[in-house]
Amino acid sequence: MTKRRFGSLVKTLSGPREETGKILMRAVAVREDIRDLILDAADHLLARYGYKKMTIDDLAREVGVGKGTIYLHFSSKEEVALSRIDRVIERLKVELKNVARLDETPAARLRQMLMLRVIYRFDSVQHYTESINQVLAAIRPALLERRKDYFEEEARILAQVLKEGRQAGDFFFKDALLTARALLTATNSLLPYSLSPRELGERNALEEQTKRIVDLLLGGLGRR
């Protein structure tokens, strides 16, 4: 077989396959949940490679789209990584607000919320082998700035329940927002930022440790 005929045969055989691949990529690219698919892929790659080794090409391959599709939704690799953390916090805030609306005592709701903010974060990164600080070390300044906003948003949700508890005579404090910030600070050491999930230990052990700290905190709020 001549070189020209062989090349023509390869083109004939590979053509339909390549076209099928392009059709599949276009189908994925126009999905309504494409942004979430990209963030899911980023989650897997961050856990596997870390931020430095992850590339936009890796993301595109993982999702099954062209690199241009990634850039339609995110301006940079940094934005992808930070948006992955943002999504965890947005979902956590929804859960916290759901607990805040429960028909239970303020103390019971506050206990659940403080437990939730720790365990939810742990569950979101339990497949990571390093801490969030290590995984995203290259973009630490941007992450720290974001984290301030995360904590402030959580504090405002907790503050509403604290106010209800004070009105019911269950809690005693002066400023609800300052108290909420203090409660967050007291439980921040249990978050998987400085420590990896492995260093934090088993989930059950973390739950028990969190429960002991939360019980102490709530006990302090109930004293005049």
Side-chain angles (χ1 to χ4, degrees), residues 102-111 160-174 179 183 214-224:
L102 291 176
D103 186 20
E104 296 183 12
T105 65
R109 281 179 281 154
L110 193 59
R111 175 178 282 103
Q160 294 302 314
V161 178
L162 283 167
K163 289 176 184 177
E164 292 181 40
R166 182 170 59 187
Q167 290 171 357
D170 297 336
F171 300 148
F172 302 93
F173 56 83
K174 291 182 179 180
T179 302
L183 292 174
V214 170
D215 285 344
L216 285 171
L217 294 171
L218 295 182
L221 283 174
R223 297 192 184 95
R224 287 183 179 275

mmCIF file of all heavy atoms in Angstrom, residues 102-111 160-174 179 183 214-224:
data_model
loop_
_atom_site.group_PDB
_atom_site.id
_atom_site.type_symbol
_atom_site.label_atom_id
_atom_site.label_comp_id
_atom_site.label_asym_id
_atom_site.label_seq_id
_atom_site.Cartn_x
_atom_site.Cartn_y
_atom_site.Cartn_z
ATOM 1 N N LEU A 102 -35.256 25.795 61.946
ATOM 2 C CA LEU A 102 -35.909 24.637 62.557
ATOM 3 C C LEU A 102 -36.744 25.038 63.769
ATOM 4 O O LEU A 102 -36.440 26.022 64.454
ATOM 5 C CB LEU A 102 -34.867 23.604 62.986
ATOM 6 C CG LEU A 102 -34.109 22.874 61.867
ATOM 7 C CD1 LEU A 102 -33.049 21.963 62.466
ATOM 8 C CD2 LEU A 102 -35.070 22.081 60.990
ATOM 9 N N ASP A 103 -37.762 24.255 64.040
ATOM 10 C CA ASP A 103 -38.630 24.508 65.195
ATOM 11 C C ASP A 103 -38.037 23.834 66.427
ATOM 12 O O ASP A 103 -38.596 22.884 66.987
ATOM 13 C CB ASP A 103 -40.041 23.986 64.910
ATOM 14 C CG ASP A 103 -41.031 24.340 66.016
ATOM 15 O OD1 ASP A 103 -40.746 25.280 66.788
ATOM 16 O OD2 ASP A 103 -42.068 23.659 66.125
ATOM 17 N N GLU A 104 -36.878 24.331 66.830
ATOM 18 C CA GLU A 104 -36.190 23.812 68.012
ATOM 19 C C GLU A 104 -35.706 24.985 68.846
ATOM 20 O O GLU A 104 -35.765 26.142 68.405
ATOM 21 C CB GLU A 104 -35.003 22.929 67.595
ATOM 22 C CG GLU A 104 -35.410 21.677 66.833
ATOM 23 C CD GLU A 104 -34.217 20.787 66.501
ATOM 24 O OE1 GLU A 104 -33.125 21.024 67.062
ATOM 25 O OE2 GLU A 104 -34.379 19.865 65.675
ATOM 26 N N THR A 105 -35.215 24.706 70.043
ATOM 27 C CA THR A 105 -34.735 25.785 70.903
ATOM 28 C C THR A 105 -33.509 26.437 70.270
ATOM 29 O O THR A 105 -32.784 25.791 69.492
ATOM 30 C CB THR A 105 -34.343 25.261 72.292
ATOM 31 O OG1 THR A 105 -33.207 24.373 72.156
ATOM 32 C CG2 THR A 105 -35.495 24.507 72.938
ATOM 33 N N PRO A 106 -33.248 27.700 70.578
ATOM 34 C CA PRO A 106 -32.044 28.362 70.044
ATOM 35 C C PRO A 106 -30.766 27.598 70.382
ATOM 36 O O PRO A 106 -29.859 27.503 69.543
ATOM 37 C CB PRO A 106 -32.083 29.735 70.716
ATOM 38 C CG PRO A 106 -33.540 29.989 70.954
ATOM 39 C CD PRO A 106 -34.115 28.652 71.321
ATOM 40 N N ALA A 107 -30.709 27.048 71.598
ATOM 41 C CA ALA A 107 -29.503 26.313 71.996
ATOM 42 C C ALA A 107 -29.307 25.073 71.139
ATOM 43 O O ALA A 107 -28.185 24.767 70.711
ATOM 44 C CB ALA A 107 -29.596 25.925 73.472
ATOM 45 N N ALA A 108 -30.378 24.350 70.856
ATOM 46 C CA ALA A 108 -30.292 23.138 70.036
ATOM 47 C C ALA A 108 -29.878 23.484 68.613
ATOM 48 O O ALA A 108 -29.059 22.793 67.997
ATOM 49 C CB ALA A 108 -31.632 22.413 70.034
ATOM 50 N N ARG A 109 -30.434 24.564 68.081
ATOM 51 C CA ARG A 109 -30.090 24.976 66.725
ATOM 52 C C ARG A 109 -28.642 25.449 66.640
ATOM 53 O O ARG A 109 -27.918 25.126 65.698
ATOM 54 C CB ARG A 109 -31.042 26.090 66.259
ATOM 55 C CG ARG A 109 -32.400 25.571 65.805
ATOM 56 C CD ARG A 109 -33.299 26.709 65.385
ATOM 57 N NE ARG A 109 -33.881 27.387 66.542
ATOM 58 C CZ ARG A 109 -34.270 28.647 66.549
ATOM 59 N NH1 ARG A 109 -34.110 29.417 65.478
ATOM 60 N NH2 ARG A 109 -34.819 29.176 67.624
ATOM 61 N N LEU A 110 -28.225 26.224 67.637
ATOM 62 C CA LEU A 110 -26.852 26.738 67.631
ATOM 63 C C LEU A 110 -25.850 25.589 67.733
ATOM 64 O O LEU A 110 -24.807 25.601 67.066
ATOM 65 C CB LEU A 110 -26.664 27.716 68.792
ATOM 66 C CG LEU A 110 -25.403 28.582 68.756
ATOM 67 C CD1 LEU A 110 -25.360 29.426 67.481
ATOM 68 C CD2 LEU A 110 -25.346 29.492 69.973
ATOM 69 N N ARG A 111 -26.181 24.594 68.545
ATOM 70 C CA ARG A 111 -25.303 23.425 68.665
ATOM 71 C C ARG A 111 -25.164 22.730 67.301
ATOM 72 O O ARG A 111 -24.052 22.399 66.872
ATOM 73 C CB ARG A 111 -25.857 22.446 69.699
ATOM 74 C CG ARG A 111 -25.052 21.140 69.794
ATOM 75 C CD ARG A 111 -25.583 20.201 70.851
ATOM 76 N NE ARG A 111 -25.176 20.627 72.177
ATOM 77 C CZ ARG A 111 -25.964 21.258 73.050
ATOM 78 N NH1 ARG A 111 -27.215 21.546 72.728
ATOM 79 N NH2 ARG A 111 -25.521 21.611 74.245
ATOM 80 N N GLN A 160 -28.351 35.668 64.342
ATOM 81 C CA GLN A 160 -29.811 35.687 64.398
ATOM 82 C C GLN A 160 -30.340 34.702 65.437
ATOM 83 O O GLN A 160 -31.278 34.998 66.186
ATOM 84 C CB GLN A 160 -30.393 35.363 63.018
ATOM 85 C CG GLN A 160 -30.092 36.406 61.959
ATOM 86 C CD GLN A 160 -30.602 37.786 62.357
ATOM 87 O OE1 GLN A 160 -31.732 37.946 62.814
ATOM 88 N NE2 GLN A 160 -29.755 38.790 62.185
ATOM 89 N N VAL A 161 -29.729 33.525 65.486
ATOM 90 C CA VAL A 161 -30.148 32.512 66.468
ATOM 91 C C VAL A 161 -29.740 32.941 67.873
ATOM 92 O O VAL A 161 -30.473 32.722 68.839
ATOM 93 C CB VAL A 161 -29.550 31.135 66.111
ATOM 94 C CG1 VAL A 161 -29.942 30.088 67.156
ATOM 95 C CG2 VAL A 161 -30.025 30.701 64.727
ATOM 96 N N LEU A 162 -28.578 33.565 67.986
ATOM 97 C CA LEU A 162 -28.140 34.073 69.287
ATOM 98 C C LEU A 162 -29.130 35.102 69.835
ATOM 99 O O LEU A 162 -29.463 35.088 71.023
ATOM 100 C CB LEU A 162 -26.747 34.703 69.159
ATOM 101 C CG LEU A 162 -25.566 33.737 69.081
ATOM 102 C CD1 LEU A 162 -24.301 34.457 68.638
ATOM 103 C CD2 LEU A 162 -25.346 33.055 70.435
ATOM 104 N N LYS A 163 -29.614 35.968 68.970
ATOM 105 C CA LYS A 163 -30.585 36.986 69.398
ATOM 106 C C LYS A 163 -31.871 36.340 69.902
ATOM 107 O O LYS A 163 -32.446 36.771 70.907
ATOM 108 C CB LYS A 163 -30.898 37.934 68.239
ATOM 109 C CG LYS A 163 -29.756 38.866 67.874
ATOM 110 C CD LYS A 163 -30.117 39.699 66.651
ATOM 111 C CE LYS A 163 -28.949 40.580 66.209
ATOM 112 N NZ LYS A 163 -29.272 41.339 64.969
ATOM 113 N N GLU A 164 -32.313 35.294 69.208
ATOM 114 C CA GLU A 164 -33.508 34.575 69.648
ATOM 115 C C GLU A 164 -33.283 33.954 71.020
ATOM 116 O O GLU A 164 -34.178 33.967 71.882
ATOM 117 C CB GLU A 164 -33.870 33.489 68.640
ATOM 118 C CG GLU A 164 -34.362 34.001 67.293
ATOM 119 C CD GLU A 164 -34.718 32.862 66.358
ATOM 120 O OE1 GLU A 164 -35.311 31.865 66.818
ATOM 121 O OE2 GLU A 164 -34.385 32.954 65.165
ATOM 122 N N GLY A 165 -32.087 33.400 71.213
ATOM 123 C CA GLY A 165 -31.773 32.787 72.505
ATOM 124 C C GLY A 165 -31.736 33.807 73.622
ATOM 125 O O GLY A 165 -32.164 33.525 74.753
ATOM 126 N N ARG A 166 -31.231 34.999 73.322
ATOM 127 C CA ARG A 166 -31.203 36.052 74.345
ATOM 128 C C ARG A 166 -32.618 36.505 74.690
ATOM 129 O O ARG A 166 -32.943 36.699 75.867
ATOM 130 C CB ARG A 166 -30.373 37.235 73.843
ATOM 131 C CG ARG A 166 -30.256 38.362 74.866
ATOM 132 C CD ARG A 166 -29.234 39.398 74.427
ATOM 133 N NE ARG A 166 -29.565 39.986 73.139
ATOM 134 C CZ ARG A 166 -28.761 40.816 72.468
ATOM 135 N NH1 ARG A 166 -27.576 41.123 72.970
ATOM 136 N NH2 ARG A 166 -29.132 41.321 71.314
ATOM 137 N N GLN A 167 -33.475 36.630 73.687
ATOM 138 C CA GLN A 167 -34.863 37.038 73.932
ATOM 139 C C GLN A 167 -35.609 35.997 74.755
ATOM 140 O O GLN A 167 -36.479 36.343 75.570
ATOM 141 C CB GLN A 167 -35.578 37.252 72.591
ATOM 142 C CG GLN A 167 -35.090 38.483 71.832
ATOM 143 C CD GLN A 167 -35.655 38.559 70.425
ATOM 144 O OE1 GLN A 167 -36.383 37.663 69.986
ATOM 145 N NE2 GLN A 167 -35.328 39.630 69.710
ATOM 146 N N ALA A 168 -35.234 34.724 74.552
ATOM 147 C CA ALA A 168 -35.885 33.651 75.306
ATOM 148 C C ALA A 168 -35.303 33.495 76.706
ATOM 149 O O ALA A 168 -35.826 32.723 77.522
ATOM 150 C CB ALA A 168 -35.748 32.335 74.536
ATOM 151 N N GLY A 169 -34.227 34.224 76.989
ATOM 152 C CA GLY A 169 -33.590 34.134 78.300
ATOM 153 C C GLY A 169 -32.637 32.965 78.434
ATOM 154 O O GLY A 169 -32.215 32.629 79.544
ATOM 155 N N ASP A 170 -32.284 32.349 77.296
ATOM 156 C CA ASP A 170 -31.376 31.195 77.327
ATOM 157 C C ASP A 170 -29.907 31.607 77.295
ATOM 158 O O ASP A 170 -29.047 30.920 77.844
ATOM 159 C CB ASP A 170 -31.647 30.270 76.131
ATOM 160 C CG ASP A 170 -33.040 29.662 76.163
ATOM 161 O OD1 ASP A 170 -33.614 29.558 77.264
ATOM 162 O OD2 ASP A 170 -33.550 29.302 75.078
ATOM 163 N N PHE A 171 -29.620 32.710 76.598
ATOM 164 C CA PHE A 171 -28.245 33.180 76.433
ATOM 165 C C PHE A 171 -28.078 34.556 77.060
ATOM 166 O O PHE A 171 -29.017 35.354 77.111
ATOM 167 C CB PHE A 171 -27.881 33.282 74.944
ATOM 168 C CG PHE A 171 -27.983 31.998 74.181
ATOM 169 C CD1 PHE A 171 -28.338 32.012 72.834
ATOM 170 C CD2 PHE A 171 -27.721 30.772 74.778
ATOM 171 C CE1 PHE A 171 -28.441 30.843 72.101
ATOM 172 C CE2 PHE A 171 -27.826 29.592 74.060
ATOM 173 C CZ PHE A 171 -28.188 29.626 72.720
ATOM 174 N N PHE A 172 -26.844 34.806 77.498
ATOM 175 C CA PHE A 172 -26.526 36.108 78.090
ATOM 176 C C PHE A 172 -25.233 36.632 77.461
ATOM 177 O O PHE A 172 -24.175 36.044 77.615
ATOM 178 C CB PHE A 172 -26.382 35.978 79.616
ATOM 179 C CG PHE A 172 -27.614 35.427 80.283
ATOM 180 C CD1 PHE A 172 -27.742 34.062 80.515
ATOM 181 C CD2 PHE A 172 -28.653 36.263 80.657
ATOM 182 C CE1 PHE A 172 -28.879 33.550 81.114
ATOM 183 C CE2 PHE A 172 -29.801 35.764 81.255
ATOM 184 C CZ PHE A 172 -29.906 34.402 81.478
ATOM 185 N N PHE A 173 -25.357 37.727 76.717
ATOM 186 C CA PHE A 173 -24.215 38.353 76.062
ATOM 187 C C PHE A 173 -24.626 39.775 75.681
ATOM 188 O O PHE A 173 -25.813 40.131 75.729
ATOM 189 C CB PHE A 173 -23.800 37.558 74.814
ATOM 190 C CG PHE A 173 -24.912 37.376 73.817
ATOM 191 C CD1 PHE A 173 -25.216 38.361 72.890
ATOM 192 C CD2 PHE A 173 -25.671 36.216 73.812
ATOM 193 C CE1 PHE A 173 -26.243 38.199 71.983
ATOM 194 C CE2 PHE A 173 -26.708 36.049 72.901
ATOM 195 C CZ PHE A 173 -27.001 37.046 71.989
ATOM 196 N N LYS A 174 -23.647 40.581 75.270
ATOM 197 C CA LYS A 174 -23.945 41.969 74.911
ATOM 198 C C LYS A 174 -24.173 42.150 73.414
ATOM 199 O O LYS A 174 -25.154 42.730 73.000
ATOM 200 C CB LYS A 174 -22.799 42.877 75.383
ATOM 201 C CG LYS A 174 -22.707 43.006 76.897
ATOM 202 C CD LYS A 174 -21.587 43.957 77.290
ATOM 203 C CE LYS A 174 -21.512 44.107 78.811
ATOM 204 N NZ LYS A 174 -20.413 45.031 79.219
ATOM 205 N N THR A 179 -20.315 37.977 69.525
ATOM 206 C CA THR A 179 -20.398 36.656 70.159
ATOM 207 C C THR A 179 -20.332 35.561 69.100
ATOM 208 O O THR A 179 -19.662 34.540 69.283
ATOM 209 C CB THR A 179 -21.695 36.522 70.970
ATOM 210 O OG1 THR A 179 -21.743 37.557 71.958
ATOM 211 C CG2 THR A 179 -21.776 35.170 71.665
ATOM 212 N N LEU A 183 -17.583 32.504 68.698
ATOM 213 C CA LEU A 183 -17.930 31.084 68.587
ATOM 214 C C LEU A 183 -17.245 30.453 67.374
ATOM 215 O O LEU A 183 -16.769 29.315 67.446
ATOM 216 C CB LEU A 183 -19.449 30.923 68.472
ATOM 217 C CG LEU A 183 -20.274 31.291 69.716
ATOM 218 C CD1 LEU A 183 -21.765 31.223 69.392
ATOM 219 C CD2 LEU A 183 -19.938 30.363 70.880
ATOM 220 N N VAL A 214 -18.215 22.554 71.612
ATOM 221 C CA VAL A 214 -19.495 23.261 71.474
ATOM 222 C C VAL A 214 -20.260 23.258 72.789
ATOM 223 O O VAL A 214 -20.862 24.275 73.175
ATOM 224 C CB VAL A 214 -20.335 22.619 70.348
ATOM 225 C CG1 VAL A 214 -21.768 23.163 70.352
ATOM 226 C CG2 VAL A 214 -19.687 22.877 68.992
ATOM 227 N N ASP A 215 -20.234 22.155 73.507
ATOM 228 C CA ASP A 215 -20.922 22.092 74.806
ATOM 229 C C ASP A 215 -20.335 23.101 75.786
ATOM 230 O O ASP A 215 -21.074 23.756 76.538
ATOM 231 C CB ASP A 215 -20.818 20.678 75.391
ATOM 232 C CG ASP A 215 -21.737 19.691 74.686
ATOM 233 O OD1 ASP A 215 -22.658 20.136 73.975
ATOM 234 O OD2 ASP A 215 -21.526 18.464 74.845
ATOM 235 N N LEU A 216 -19.014 23.241 75.780
ATOM 236 C CA LEU A 216 -18.363 24.225 76.647
ATOM 237 C C LEU A 216 -18.769 25.643 76.268
ATOM 238 O O LEU A 216 -19.065 26.483 77.147
ATOM 239 C CB LEU A 216 -16.853 24.077 76.556
ATOM 240 C CG LEU A 216 -16.208 22.888 77.284
ATOM 241 C CD1 LEU A 216 -14.741 22.774 76.913
ATOM 242 C CD2 LEU A 216 -16.371 23.046 78.794
ATOM 243 N N LEU A 217 -18.818 25.898 74.974
ATOM 244 C CA LEU A 217 -19.186 27.241 74.495
ATOM 245 C C LEU A 217 -20.611 27.591 74.872
ATOM 246 O O LEU A 217 -20.893 28.702 75.355
ATOM 247 C CB LEU A 217 -18.996 27.330 72.976
ATOM 248 C CG LEU A 217 -17.561 27.219 72.463
ATOM 249 C CD1 LEU A 217 -17.557 27.092 70.944
ATOM 250 C CD2 LEU A 217 -16.739 28.412 72.889
ATOM 251 N N LEU A 218 -21.512 26.678 74.643
ATOM 252 C CA LEU A 218 -22.914 26.926 74.963
ATOM 253 C C LEU A 218 -23.140 27.035 76.458
ATOM 254 O O LEU A 218 -23.991 27.797 76.930
ATOM 255 C CB LEU A 218 -23.804 25.826 74.365
ATOM 256 C CG LEU A 218 -23.844 25.764 72.836
ATOM 257 C CD1 LEU A 218 -24.781 24.665 72.364
ATOM 258 C CD2 LEU A 218 -24.299 27.102 72.262
ATOM 259 N N GLY A 219 -22.348 26.261 77.215
ATOM 260 C CA GLY A 219 -22.445 26.366 78.675
ATOM 261 C C GLY A 219 -22.064 27.757 79.146
ATOM 262 O O GLY A 219 -22.680 28.307 80.055
ATOM 263 N N GLY A 220 -21.056 28.338 78.493
ATOM 264 C CA GLY A 220 -20.646 29.695 78.845
ATOM 265 C C GLY A 220 -21.691 30.738 78.486
ATOM 266 O O GLY A 220 -21.890 31.713 79.208
ATOM 267 N N LEU A 221 -22.405 30.528 77.393
ATOM 268 C CA LEU A 221 -23.444 31.478 76.996
ATOM 269 C C LEU A 221 -24.634 31.471 77.933
ATOM 270 O O LEU A 221 -25.344 32.470 78.060
ATOM 271 C CB LEU A 221 -23.940 31.138 75.569
ATOM 272 C CG LEU A 221 -23.066 31.538 74.405
ATOM 273 C CD1 LEU A 221 -23.656 30.993 73.113
ATOM 274 C CD2 LEU A 221 -22.939 33.057 74.322
ATOM 275 N N GLY A 222 -24.841 30.335 78.596
ATOM 276 C CA GLY A 222 -26.005 30.231 79.468
ATOM 277 C C GLY A 222 -25.774 30.736 80.872
ATOM 278 O O GLY A 222 -26.681 30.738 81.699
ATOM 279 N N ARG A 223 -24.548 31.186 81.155
ATOM 280 C CA ARG A 223 -24.252 31.685 82.499
ATOM 281 C C ARG A 223 -24.304 33.201 82.540
ATOM 282 O O ARG A 223 -23.868 33.874 81.624
ATOM 283 C CB ARG A 223 -22.830 31.245 82.920
ATOM 284 C CG ARG A 223 -22.675 29.724 83.021
ATOM 285 C CD ARG A 223 -21.373 29.375 83.708
ATOM 286 N NE ARG A 223 -21.150 27.935 83.725
ATOM 287 C CZ ARG A 223 -20.437 27.256 82.854
ATOM 288 N NH1 ARG A 223 -19.832 27.924 81.881
ATOM 289 N NH2 ARG A 223 -20.288 25.964 82.936
ATOM 290 N N ARG A 224 -24.863 33.729 83.621
ATOM 291 C CA ARG A 224 -24.922 35.187 83.796
ATOM 292 C C ARG A 224 -23.555 35.708 84.216
ATOM 293 O O ARG A 224 -22.828 35.065 84.914
ATOM 294 C CB ARG A 224 -25.946 35.557 84.892
ATOM 295 C CG ARG A 224 -27.384 35.364 84.420
ATOM 296 C CD ARG A 224 -28.325 35.813 85.514
ATOM 297 N NE ARG A 224 -29.707 35.683 85.130
ATOM 298 C CZ ARG A 224 -30.385 36.596 84.443
ATOM 299 N NH1 ARG A 224 -29.778 37.701 84.078
ATOM 300 N NH2 ARG A 224 -31.642 36.412 84.117
#
